[in-house]
Amino acid sequence: MTKSTNAAIYARISRDVTGEGLGVDRQLADCRKLAADRGWIVAEEYVDNDISAYKGKRRPSYERMLEDISAGQRDAVIVYNTDRLTRRPIELEEFVQICQSAGVEEFATVTADINLGNDDGMFMARILAAVAAKESGRKSERQKRKAREIAEAGKPNGGNLRPFGYERDQVTIVESEAVVLRVLAERYLAGESLMSLANWLQEEGVSSVAGMPWRTTTLRQTLTNPRIAGLRAHNGVVVAVAIWPAIITKATHEQLVAMFARKKVTGRRAPRRYLLSGLLRCGKCGNKLFSSSRKDTRRYVCMSGPDHRGCGRLTIVAAPVEEWLAEAVLMRLDSPAMADALVGRAIADERHAALAAELQSDQAQMKELAELWADKGISMAEWKAAREPIEARIFNLDRQIGQLTGTSTLAGIIGNGEAVRASWDSLNLSRQAAIIAAVLDYATITPKTSAGRVSVDPNRIIATWRL
Ligand SMILES: [Zn+2]
């Protein structure tokens, strides 16, 4: 008699609205029966809840199972169907690799058996994963078509949050908020700044629908949203006259949009100058620090005011923190723990960048088309015809980006801290920032302890590492 087979059962509930998804109990029951039929011992059942295997979100139980397999504690894996395991071909390859190096050859599914130990089984598994990926894409294509139909009928989209100015049904006007919107539009068109309007709302005790104080970004979105002019937008483009009443006129809406567009041209963002943007937190209030320069000194500061809501009472000079944290990251790159953590996660980030650039250009083109239509440069029919191929491209790009696992910002860098250090100064700022952000989750800057100017005090920096 050979030694007993310790099987892992993996089950996953997906957010399957169409009802074709199987309950986890059913999956588990079928898998247990399969184990019994084969005479395998169920060593452990791994269950992940309500997480799509396609989107690339973390699946704790799945990861734990992979660890147990790697550790040689499992001889077989049972799932209901391959798409429960993963819908991403890349992830499947990773799974197979782990199974192969751990000597696990038994892989059973309730719907079809696959032996990953031979080429045929592997081929089959790859095909199944490809089919699963396609199914996943098709499903969202259906959902997208449905969403477009709803939009073109001028109906609301049924989000969770009600829009400011309207009731939960997204149709009935909330008169008190409608008044506020009209005043805001009028004052903005008269030249008042968003900052000043946000402060005014704060003083008046008017909060956003989320119950939060207004930020200038929320304010901009609200004021330029075609919905308050009784227009239905879809993917950022007006597609129909809405079934709900307007709060401001179409003419006012157009003036607002034009005004924001004009201001945007003058207020273009400067290229990145701050290595640690978004990575530092205030040790007094916990808020993010923002970059700001005074005279010739670049600094990170805790900002108060409607857009930032920090305590406004903490500042640190940029250069020394940047130097110190960069050095800490480079040292960390050479730690053995890091090398282990990243095995199997290397995918070219050049690929990701290329896809993202394509996506951006397609999105820009969509916007141009919409503007052309709004300016009556093209008819609705022409516009519809023109946008279809672009939409298809955007859809595909989205999917390809979703299929890239993790990030390989660190590929070729792990364990090479010394080499990276030597070339660090020659890397551009975005690349440096990407390397730091891949390793560092965030760093908290504590208040200054001694009076006077201390150039760099490493004790003020508390790093929280991602890896
Ligand atoms: Zn603060």
Side-chain angles (χ1 to χ4, degrees):
M1 179 124 186
T2 51
K3 88 175 183 74
S4 57
T5 302
N6 288 306
I9 289 184
Y10 181 73
R12 181 176 58 82
I13 313 172
S14 65
R15 212 183 304 252
D16 228 332
V17 281
T18 50
E20 59 200 53
L22 283 162
V24 76
D25 288 341
R26 167 79 193 288
Q27 290 178 44
L28 287 174
D30 286 353
C31 291
R32 280 177 210 139
K33 187 173 172 300
L34 188 62
D37 289 349
R38 298 278 179 99
W40 295 348
I41 293 165
V42 177
E44 190 165 347
E45 294 175 348
Y46 304 84
V47 179
D48 280 316
N49 267 315
D50 208 17
I51 300 167
S52 169
Y54 181 69
K55 293 258 169 63
K57 286 184 192 144
R58 289 185 69 100
R59 291 184 287 154
S61 298
Y62 178 75
E63 285 166 24
R64 199 159 43 80
M65 178 173 75
L66 291 186
E67 277 166 25
D68 290 345
I69 293 172
S70 305
Q73 291 168 356
R74 305 287 173 258
D75 311 307
V77 178
I78 303 175
V79 293
Y80 186 85
N81 194 316
T82 321
D83 75 347
R84 295 292 107 182
L85 193 66
T86 175
R87 288 191 165 181
R88 298 191 302 163
I90 288 168
E91 217 173 54
L92 180 76
E93 296 289 329
E94 186 193 41
F95 173 79
V96 169
Q97 228 162 35
I98 288 171
C99 285
Q100 280 174 345
S101 56
V104 173
E105 290 188 2
E106 300 286 3
F107 176 73
T109 63
V110 172
T111 48
D113 275 10
I114 296 173
N115 181 350
L116 296 176
N118 64 40
D119 285 349
D120 286 348
M122 195 49 227
F123 180 64
M124 179 82 174
R126 284 196 181 113
I127 289 174
L128 287 177
V131 169
K134 197 164 166 228
E135 255 319 293
S136 214
R138 211 185 268 149
K139 208 182 290 168
S140 49
E141 222 161 349
R142 273 203 298 275
Q143 284 160 357
K144 281 181 183 183
R145 206 174 310 131
K146 182 82 192 147
R148 158 109 59 96
E149 277 168 23
I150 291 173
E152 284 172 352
K155 293 179 189 159
N157 61 11
N160 283 326
L161 220 53
R162 71 180 181 85
F164 188 81
Y166 295 86
E167 302 275 10
R168 207 42 220 278
D169 65 7
Q170 305 197 17
V171 170
T172 316
I173 290 181
V174 175
E175 209 35 67
S176 59
E177 292 181 353
V179 173
V180 170
L181 284 173
R182 288 186 201 109
V183 171
L184 286 170
E186 202 176 296
R187 283 169 65 166
Y188 183 75
L189 288 176
E192 195 165 337
S193 75
L194 282 178
M195 192 74 89
S196 154
L197 291 172
N199 280 329
W200 171 69
L201 287 167
Q202 181 83 349
E203 282 159 23
E204 293 292 315
V206 180
S207 52
S208 74
V209 282
M212 306 286 281
W214 288 88
R215 289 164 184 268
T216 54
T217 43
T218 334
L219 204 47
R220 178 184 300 118
Q221 279 160 13
T222 306
L223 286 178
T224 52
N225 194 340
R227 125 171 296 280
I228 64 172
L231 300 169
R232 174 62 153 100
H234 184 57
N235 292 338
V237 168
V238 172
V239 292
V241 172
I243 59 163
W244 57 82
I247 290 173
I248 61 171
T249 65
K250 196 162 172 271
T252 307
H253 168 68
E254 277 161 7
Q255 281 174 332
L256 283 168
V257 172
M259 185 107 163
F260 276 109
R262 227 176 298 141
K263 292 219 169 162
K264 209 166 137 200
V265 175
T266 51
R268 226 177 259 290
R269 283 185 74 153
R272 185 183 193 115
R273 281 184 58 218
Y274 287 82
L275 185 59
L276 302 171
S277 294
L279 287 173
L280 300 183
R281 293 189 190 173
C282 172
K284 281 187 175 165
C285 68
N287 230 52
K288 260 188 194 163
L289 298 187
F290 291 83
S291 52
S292 143
S293 58
R294 199 171 57 186
K295 291 174 192 157
D296 282 336
T297 312
R298 294 184 308 110
R299 306 173 311 156
Y300 294 96
V301 299
C302 180
M303 288 187 175
S304 53
D307 277 348
H308 309 293
R309 311 252 169 229
C311 66
R313 294 174 53 229
L314 187 130
T315 298
I316 193 159
V317 177
V321 205
E322 289 171 351
E323 223 166 277
W324 192 87
L325 273 172
E327 182 59 29
V329 164
L330 291 172
M331 278 170 63
R332 218 172 158 78
L333 285 173
D334 281 340
S335 70
M338 164 100 62
D340 289 348
L342 282 149
V343 168
R345 285 177 67 187
I347 285 300
D349 73 338
E350 286 79 10
R351 169 117 180 98
H352 187 277
L355 290 173
E358 262 182 78
L359 184 63
Q360 218 170 22
S361 106
D362 279 340
Q363 281 165 340
Q365 209 183 345
M366 281 288 271
K367 234 181 124 205
E368 269 169 38
L369 269 176
E371 278 159 12
L372 207 57
W373 174 73
D375 289 345
K376 302 194 170 55
I378 51 173
S379 71
M380 171 70 108
E382 284 171 318
W383 172 52
K384 263 188 174 173
R387 79 188 175 196
E388 254 160 36
I390 310 173
E391 273 180 340
R393 275 207 306 273
I394 291 179
F395 176 76
N396 277 321
L397 287 168
D398 261 341
R399 207 164 65 184
Q400 287 178 53
I401 288 172
Q403 282 171 347
L404 289 175
T405 47
T407 159
S408 79
T409 302
L410 299 172
I413 286 178
I414 303 299
N416 278 326
E418 270 314 312
V420 179
R421 182 179 290 111
S423 61
W424 184 255
D425 291 334
S426 68
L427 298 176
N428 70 36
L429 207 52
S430 309
R431 179 73 177 152
Q432 289 178 347
I435 292 172
I436 290 179
V439 180
L440 177 73
D441 195 0
Y442 62 90
T444 303
I445 305 299
T446 60
K448 235 189 319 199
T449 42
S450 58
R453 285 185 59 130
V454 184
S455 62
V456 62
D457 179 0
N459 293 323
R460 287 187 66 192
I461 308 166
I462 304 165
T464 302
W465 303 104
R466 199 184 281 283
L467 292 169

